[in-house]
Amino acid sequence: MKMIIKLISALVILGIIVIVALYLSLNKIVEKGITTFGSQATLTEVTLKKSNISLFSGKGELKGLVVGNPIGFSSNHALSFDRIKVSVDVKSVFSDNILIKEILIDRPKISYELAEKKSNIQTILNNINSSEKKEEKVEKTESKKSGSQKKVIIDLFKITNGKI
């Protein structure tokens, strides 16, 4: 009996350690995810200087997000954002209506460029759409869950100091 209690205690302690480690490395996981999956979806280089995510407060911030230009375009990047800040009502995430209190995009810079009758922005959008179509094919092979659709409500959406 003592062996079972020790085993259960060890598993609980190990679980707590894993949860704490994941929480402490959350920002690195977010940064790696954005750069990896963003690059795969856009077929460009995506970089991020820093993320600051807090699960308990529902606030998150990305600093220095840059989406590079596709091949065939000359400028360094297509899009860059000094700061993107989001605040979500944490309790609403588990309901049918997700409440986003605020989305702030500060200092976005868009470099619109034409090459061979195509724009860099449209090329990136086409890359993202083709990536989504590949995911849809995978989803069709999986069974679909039945249930209600979640709605997203945004209280404040603000873009400041932008340049095109």
Side-chain angles (χ1 to χ4, degrees), residues 28-44:
K28 291 293 178 193
I29 293 169
V30 167
E31 291 167 15
K32 183 70 174 169
I34 287 173
T35 57
T36 301
F37 297 116
S39 295
Q40 289 173 0
T42 61
L43 300 179
T44 66

Side-chain angles (χ1 to χ4, degrees), residues 78-95:
L79 306 164
S80 71
F81 306 90
D82 280 2
R83 182 171 74 135
I84 299 172
K85 182 179 169 187
V86 177
S87 177
V88 177
D89 181 357
V90 177
K91 292 179 276 182
S92 72
V93 172
F94 304 105
S95 71

Side-chain angles (χ1 to χ4, degrees), residues 58-104:
K59 294 182 180 180
E61 186 172 28
L62 304 176
K63 291 186 177 181
L65 177 63
V66 177
V67 178
N69 249 334
I71 296 170
F73 296 93
S74 61
S75 61
N76 292 336
H77 63 272
L79 306 164
S80 71
F81 306 90
D82 280 2
R83 182 171 74 135
I84 299 172
K85 182 179 169 187
V86 177
S87 177
V88 177
D89 181 357
V90 177
K91 292 179 276 182
S92 72
V93 172
F94 304 105
S95 71
D96 288 338
N97 296 320
I98 298 173
L99 175 63
I100 299 175
K101 297 176 187 176
E102 173 186 48
I103 298 174
L104 169 67

Side-chain angles (χ1 to χ4, degrees), residues 94-150:
F94 304 105
S95 71
D96 288 338
N97 296 320
I98 298 173
L99 175 63
I100 299 175
K101 297 176 187 176
E102 173 186 48
I103 298 174
L104 169 67
I105 300 174
D106 190 30
R107 291 188 189 96
K109 294 179 188 98
I110 301 170
S111 298
Y112 184 81
E113 189 178 339
L114 290 172
E116 299 178 20
K117 298 182 183 181
K118 290 192 274 184
S119 75
N120 58 342
I121 303 299
Q122 189 59 53
T123 302
I124 290 171
L125 290 174
N126 291 344
N127 293 342
I128 292 170
N129 288 335
S130 69
S131 175
E132 287 176 357
K133 287 179 184 175
K134 290 176 187 173
E135 289 178 19
E136 285 176 11
K137 288 179 184 177
V138 172
E139 286 178 9
K140 286 181 182 178
T141 60
E142 298 174 358
S143 63
K144 293 186 178 182
K145 295 180 182 178
S146 61
S148 62
Q149 294 283 338
K150 290 194 178 244

